[in-house]
Amino acid sequence: MTPMERVRAGMFARSKTGHDKDKLYIILKTEDEYVYLTDGRLRPLSKPKKKKRKHIQPICRFPEGWESERITDDYVKRAIRLQEKEDANV
């Protein structure tokens, strides 16, 4: 199993390429070689960003209380903000 096969919905991921390079997202859905990403702002749950798996760096961590049926854009924004704060402290 390669690292890319372990990418799962709910994980944090950082963009490696494109105009959004280094931006933090949450993986909403995985599909073959693509993932659908959300940040709760520019890419809300209703309009996720489609990106190739090879263009993201998955972070093997899930937001606290992740339940895909109950998430909202505000929840995603808060989770990303907390993760970025934690990354800055490391």
Side-chain angles (χ1 to χ4, degrees), residues 12 14 24 59 61-64 78-90:
F12 288 104
R14 199 168 290 280
L24 191 61
I59 300 169
R61 172 177 279 151
F62 292 86
E64 191 174 321
R78 189 176 139 272
I80 288 174
R81 191 171 50 249
L82 291 172
Q83 180 64 32
E84 286 177 333
K85 195 175 191 181
E86 192 173 305
D87 289 349
N89 291 335
V90 174

Side-chain angles (χ1 to χ4, degrees), residues 2-3 17 30-31 35 37 42 48 71 75 77 81 85-86:
T2 66
T17 60
T30 62
E31 214 176 67
V35 293
L37 307 168
L42 295 174
I71 62 168
Y75 172 85
K77 287 187 271 191
R81 191 171 50 249
K85 195 175 191 181
E86 192 173 305

